[in-house]
Amino acid sequence: MNYDVTIGIPVFQAEPFLTRSLESALNQTYPSIEFLLVDDGSTDGSLSIVQDCQTDHVRGADIRVISNDHNLGVSEARNSIIDEASGTYLYFMDADDTIAEDTIALLMDQIRQYEAEVAFGSYEKIGTDGKREVYQYPSLQLFETDELASFAYRKYAGIQASACNYLVQTSLLREHHHRFINTDYWEDFVFTFDLVTLVSRAVLLPDITYTYWCRENSLSRYQQRRQIPKEEILRNVSTVNHLRETSSILYNKVYYPDRCFNIVMTGFYMACNVLKRRQDIAPSISDDEIKAMLTHPATFRQICGFRQSRLKNLALYLLGRLPAGPCVALIKCLGKMKKLV
């Protein structure tokens, strides 16, 4: 059966949250939706919750499940969704988050009105303390070549780091072989960060369509844990290194200077987080390893030729070229000024 939209949800040990999440997806006002779930080797009651919905919910026949014998990770689960989705458009959500009941209807309305390849909704985060933070886009249509990428890279975190909460043309992903890289750390950041370079027509909405529910002991929440494995830090670094490597083919793009700046600033914020919790990282992390987080994707010669963001890229490049000790000391000083360390 063909659908207008596939909502793809990777599921792994999600029993405490899945009912709320799945109900928010099934309660969408938009009619033509496939609900494609990948049970990634769960050993709790997650699959039973899904099976109950298939039996009891009015949209149960639209739920399809792919089951993995063992846990392959979120990247493989999402790649399976890209391969198997029946929808013309694809929308990812996580099994512990929720979406507004008119999310798909709002995004599809914009897709059709502007013949867009992707439509982004705004979102909110609910902290473990119940505090609500809203991240709201302007109402914006971006239809010029490289306009979405230029908007996304214009300022640090100019677009969401998650792969959730936007509707994207499934054929666009397949034609460009756009996949999630094989890591459990920041794979969604890389996916979206590179996706914007492939899109010609995009729409951004100020409507809050997605709620991220923050949880204790999440892998990405360093500050919530007493001990942080060094391997986790290094895997985050390798993910950012992937973006450095893929940037080389984009050096002639107008957004390249801003993309470079975003990548190195991601490394800077990572280094500040590491310095803030350095005593909790085991085994210990060296100054050389922290300095490597500021490796710049561009060469000195390329930076000197930048037409925009030249000075700030040059400053970060020179910071990363200092000896390890002075480099880390200066990162710490700057981090304290920004109240990051």
Side-chain angles (χ1 to χ4, degrees):
M1 181 175 178
N2 294 323
Y3 294 86
D4 291 344
V5 175
T6 292
I7 295 181
I9 310 176
V11 177
F12 179 66
Q13 307 296 76
E15 183 178 5
F17 327 101
L18 186 56
T19 298
R20 178 184 64 184
S21 179
L22 190 51
E23 284 180 354
S24 77
L26 292 167
N27 290 339
Q28 291 301 293
T29 58
Y30 192 84
S32 180
I33 303 176
E34 172 193 37
F35 305 91
L36 181 56
L37 286 76
V38 176
D39 176 39
D40 196 22
S42 297
T43 57
D44 62 359
S46 295
L47 187 57
S48 294
I49 292 172
V50 177
Q51 290 169 339
D52 287 345
C53 287
Q54 286 178 304
T55 301
D56 301 333
H57 199 278
V58 66
R59 303 180 87 157
D62 297 318
I63 300 173
R64 183 156 60 103
V65 180
I66 299 171
S67 294
N68 295 332
D69 292 335
H70 59 281
N71 181 241
L72 298 178
V74 67
S75 289
E76 286 302 315
R78 287 181 175 146
N79 285 334
S80 294
I81 289 168
I82 293 173
D83 292 337
E84 296 292 333
S86 299
T88 305
Y89 294 88
L90 179 57
Y91 182 93
F92 285 111
M93 65 179 292
D94 286 338
D96 53 357
D97 295 330
T98 55
I99 56 178
E101 66 178 14
D102 60 348
T103 289
I104 301 301
L106 281 169
L107 296 176
M108 278 300 296
D109 177 70
Q110 296 295 300
I111 289 278
R112 285 173 168 155
Q113 181 178 347
Y114 295 105
E115 298 181 351
E117 295 166 317
V118 62
F120 291 84
S122 297
Y123 58 99
E124 64 181 355
K125 286 186 179 182
I126 307 297
T128 54
D129 58 358
K131 183 179 178 181
R132 179 176 182 257
E133 295 181 78
V134 174
Y135 299 81
Q136 197 163 22
Y137 293 124
S139 179
L140 199 60
Q141 297 84 44
L142 303 167
F143 301 149
E144 299 296 327
T145 301
D146 297 331
E147 194 174 8
L148 175 60
S150 296
F151 172 85
Y153 302 147
R154 191 172 300 147
K155 64 176 182 177
Y156 182 75
I159 207 158
Q160 63 189 50
S162 170
C164 301
N165 198 35
Y166 55 82
L167 200 58
V168 61
Q169 199 172 62
T170 309
S171 62
L172 179 78
L173 303 180
R174 292 173 178 167
E175 288 168 6
H176 289 276
H177 305 287
H178 192 60
R179 315 278 290 177
F180 289 87
I181 64 172
N182 186 25
T183 179
D184 290 331
Y185 297 87
W186 291 5
E187 78 296 328
D188 49 353
F189 167 57
V190 172
F191 185 85
T192 302
F193 197 84
D194 279 344
L195 173 65
V196 298
T197 68
L198 307 176
V199 175
S200 299
R201 297 182 65 83
V203 180
L204 283 75
L205 282 73
D207 306 76
I208 306 299
T209 52
Y210 197 99
T211 300
Y212 294 96
W213 296 89
C214 299
R215 295 185 286 116
E216 296 284 355
N217 299 320
S218 169
L219 288 174
S220 61
R221 294 178 65 79
Y222 297 156
Q223 68 273 23
Q224 298 292 335
R225 289 178 282 155
R226 294 181 180 178
Q227 189 174 76
I228 303 165
K230 179 180 176 180
E231 175 61 22
E232 181 181 324
I233 304 292
L234 296 182
R235 290 184 71 177
N236 276 339
V237 172
S238 70
T239 301
V240 179
N241 284 341
H242 174 86
L243 291 177
R244 293 188 178 98
E245 293 164 5
T246 57
S247 293
S248 60
I249 61 173
L250 303 171
Y251 73 94
N252 62 341
K253 293 289 189 178
V254 65
Y255 54 73
Y256 180 66
D258 290 330
R259 178 183 167 99
C260 289
F261 177 74
N262 272 265
I263 291 171
V264 185
M265 280 303 296
T266 299
F268 173 78
Y269 282 113
M270 187 190 306
C272 288
N273 277 323
V274 167
L275 289 171
K276 184 177 180 179
R277 296 292 305 274
R278 193 172 190 176
Q279 71 278 7
D280 299 320
I281 298 170
S284 62
I285 191 163
S286 70
D287 284 353
D288 284 317
E289 289 169 316
I290 296 174
K291 173 189 169 180
M293 298 177 189
L294 265 71
T295 302
H296 204 287
T299 65
F300 180 78
R301 185 174 181 177
Q302 285 176 333
I303 294 171
C304 289
F306 284 173
R307 294 186 177 182
Q308 76 254 12
S309 306
R310 182 188 303 156
L311 290 179
K312 59 186 184 182
N313 270 293
L314 187 58
L316 288 172
Y317 176 87
L318 294 175
L319 175 58
R321 299 292 290 181
L322 290 173
C327 175
V328 171
L330 190 50
I331 293 171
K332 190 172 185 177
C333 180
L334 293 170
K336 286 182 176 179
M337 291 173 60
K338 287 179 167 285
K339 298 182 179 179
L340 297 171
V341 178

